[in-house]
Amino acid sequence: MKIYRKLLPLITISAMALAGFAQVESGGGVRKRSERDKKKTETEGATVTQRMQGFYETKEPHDADMEYMRQIYRQIDLTKDANTPLYFPEDVVDGQENLFRIILGNVVNGRIPAYEYLDGREVFTDQYKVNVPDMLDRFGIYYRTDGSGKNMRYVIEEADVPTGQVLNYYILEKWEFDRRSNQMKTRVEAICPVLNRMGDFGGDTRYPMFWVKFDALRPYLASQYIFLSDDNNLPQYSLDDYFNLGMYDGEIYKTRNLRNLSMNQMYPDADDLKRAQDSIDHRLRDYGKNLWVPTREEYLAQKEKEEAIKEALERGDTLSGAELNVVEEKTEAKRSSVKSAKRTTTKKRAAKKSKVSSSSSSSAPNSSATKSVRRRKK
């Protein structure tokens, strides 16, 4: 009985200490991973953590900070030289994959969600998420299943991935002018792979597959490095850099408008379509510049450049981009020579004026001095 009475306080103190230790651990953020966290980590994959995913997410700017915003739809043609890094390599080579393999693999494995292509009415909510087996059946992509129930996985063999048929991408750009930084910022919001297949009556028919949000895709693009030209085979940029730095060459095929019309519907004529696309591009890129009034020197420089180009075109010269730069350099040299000549003339006039003023001041009599009468003739 005495031994029991002695052990009881010790047991009580030990229990209290353990309870206090558990409270401290819980308050400090140390907790056991639940089954939900385990499933989430397995779904996201071992290479991309939640912290990494949060690093690549772009925070939407507040409406109070926005001065201007426009949504632009571009079509990226992979047959153009600037866009070939998105197409090659067609097969997996030394762990390197092209853009479509990265997108399709992460969508099929459930790492990133895909959304229905709604033709200009894109809504990135759970209601419009793509059902993976339905999407694969719709586009005739062969697959097999592993497991059952919630553990079911969809496996696509390498030979069944239609990389050779994805010759276009649609991207959704956002052009936003921020009041705080006074800068026009461009960011890619979503990407849509487009299948090019032979139609029933001949000719290629395009089938947009689905949209994926660019922020969800960025961690996987950042690990794939590419080289941009055949002259330098050193992969210096990642696919994430490729989109963020605007290295792609895409033409505008649609802008967000009230009638939800494409550029081809609004401008049926090919020449009118090209002029409208160029006009939209110039207005977007020059929006920030047009907010500031140019100085007199900048205005005269632009006017001289336009006159030089006009004279060259009137002579029948065909000016390329390099020749336009030459004309600009000549105009700049001419303007600098004119400025230097003006400065020289101004200096000469100032020197002449100072010389004349000094001579006149030395020859002029002093009003306060008396006239000398030493050598006056009598």
Side-chain angles (χ1 to χ4, degrees):
M1 190 69 179
K2 294 181 179 179
I3 297 174
Y4 175 75
R5 288 178 180 177
K6 291 181 180 179
L7 291 176
L8 183 60
L10 295 175
I11 295 172
T12 306
I13 294 171
S14 301
M16 292 175 63
L18 289 173
F21 179 77
Q23 290 178 0
V24 172
E25 290 294 322
S26 300
V30 178
R31 63 184 179 85
K32 185 179 179 180
R33 286 197 311 167
S34 63
E35 294 297 327
R36 182 179 179 183
D37 293 336
K38 290 180 180 179
K39 291 178 181 179
K40 190 173 183 181
T41 305
E42 292 173 358
T43 303
E44 291 182 353
T47 57
V48 177
T49 61
Q50 297 181 16
R51 184 177 180 182
M52 185 185 298
Q53 184 68 49
F55 176 77
Y56 286 103
E57 289 179 357
T58 304
K59 186 179 179 181
E60 290 287 341
H62 196 272
D63 292 341
D65 299 332
M66 298 298 296
E67 178 73 22
Y68 175 89
M69 190 274 287
R70 192 166 189 184
Q71 291 185 350
I72 302 294
Y73 294 82
R74 291 187 186 270
Q75 173 187 275
I76 299 179
D77 186 2
L78 300 189
T79 59
K80 294 183 178 180
D81 293 338
N83 302 326
T84 51
L86 302 180
Y87 182 80
F88 295 100
E90 295 183 63
D91 300 323
V92 181
V93 179
D94 296 332
Q96 294 293 322
E97 298 178 319
N98 61 8
L99 179 61
F100 180 67
R101 285 182 179 274
I102 295 174
I103 293 176
L104 186 64
N106 287 293
V107 168
V108 170
N109 292 330
R111 297 192 184 104
I112 59 176
Y115 302 91
E116 294 287 348
Y117 179 84
L118 302 177
D119 194 15
R121 304 290 187 188
E122 282 69 37
V123 183
F124 303 118
T125 60
D126 293 341
Q127 181 181 358
Y128 295 97
K129 278 187 178 180
V130 169
N131 184 272
V132 173
D134 293 344
M135 181 268 296
L136 296 177
D137 292 335
R138 185 193 317 162
F139 295 106
I141 301 175
Y142 298 103
Y143 65 95
R144 59 182 174 84
T145 58
D146 283 348
S148 61
K150 295 182 179 180
N151 297 325
M152 182 179 292
R153 295 176 61 253
Y154 304 97
V155 180
I156 304 175
E157 299 296 336
E158 293 293 335
D160 296 328
V161 180
T163 54
Q165 299 178 2
V166 179
L167 301 178
N168 301 91
Y169 285 96
Y170 293 156
I171 63 172
L172 175 58
E173 286 182 348
K174 267 193 176 181
W175 292 72
E176 301 165 335
F177 187 84
D178 192 355
R179 290 180 179 179
R180 293 190 175 185
S181 60
N182 288 330
Q183 291 180 350
M184 177 69 82
K185 298 179 181 179
T186 311
R187 60 187 177 93
V188 178
E189 188 175 15
I191 302 177
C192 173
V194 182
L195 288 174
N196 291 252
R197 290 176 174 173
M198 187 68 67
D200 296 335
F201 302 99
D204 290 337
T205 305
R206 296 177 181 176
Y207 299 94
M209 298 182 67
F210 49 79
W211 288 102
V212 291
K213 298 196 72 174
F214 183 68
D215 288 349
L217 191 63
R218 287 185 64 187
Y220 305 96
L221 300 182
S223 60
Q224 292 290 328
Y225 282 79
I226 57 175
F227 60 91
L228 303 177
S229 65
D230 295 335
D231 296 332
N232 187 3
N233 300 143
L234 183 65
Q236 296 177 327
Y237 298 95
S238 65
L239 285 174
D240 183 50
D241 299 329
Y242 181 86
F243 284 101
N244 285 323
L245 298 177
M247 298 179 181
Y248 53 86
D249 182 9
E251 63 176 12
I252 300 174
Y253 75 91
K254 188 175 184 178
T255 60
R256 188 174 182 182
N257 55 83
L258 296 175
R259 295 178 294 172
N260 195 29
L261 298 177
S262 65
M263 297 291 290
N264 285 321
Q265 292 172 330
M266 298 172 66
Y267 304 96
D269 185 70
D271 295 334
D272 293 340
L273 175 62
K274 182 62 178 175
R275 282 193 292 267
Q277 291 171 338
D278 294 341
S279 176
I280 293 172
D281 257 331
H282 287 305
R283 278 184 292 175
L284 289 173
R285 300 183 190 281
D286 296 340
Y287 181 86
K289 299 177 183 177
N290 294 335
L291 295 178
W292 309 101
V293 179
T295 62
R296 185 174 181 274
E297 289 76 12
E298 292 174 349
Y299 174 77
L300 293 176
Q302 182 64 25
K303 189 175 180 180
E304 290 177 5
K305 178 183 175 182
E306 292 175 356
E307 289 178 354
I309 294 174
K310 184 178 179 180
E311 292 176 358
L313 293 176
E314 288 177 353
R315 292 194 301 267
D317 299 339
T318 303
L319 299 179
S320 61
E323 291 172 343
L324 288 174
N325 293 333
V326 171
V327 172
E328 185 176 0
E329 291 175 359
K330 289 182 179 179
T331 308
E332 182 68 25
K334 181 180 178 182
R335 186 167 59 254
S336 60
S337 63
V338 170
K339 286 183 179 179
S340 61
K342 287 182 179 179
R343 285 196 296 267
T344 306
T345 306
T346 305
K347 288 181 180 179
K348 287 182 178 179
R349 288 178 180 175
K352 186 176 180 181
K353 185 176 180 180
S354 62
K355 185 176 180 181
V356 171
S357 61
S358 61
S359 61
S360 61
S361 63
S362 61
S363 60
N366 192 358
S367 58
S368 62
T370 57
K371 294 182 179 181
S372 177
V373 293
R374 291 180 180 177
R375 297 184 180 182
R376 182 180 296 178
K377 293 181 180 181
K378 295 181 181 180

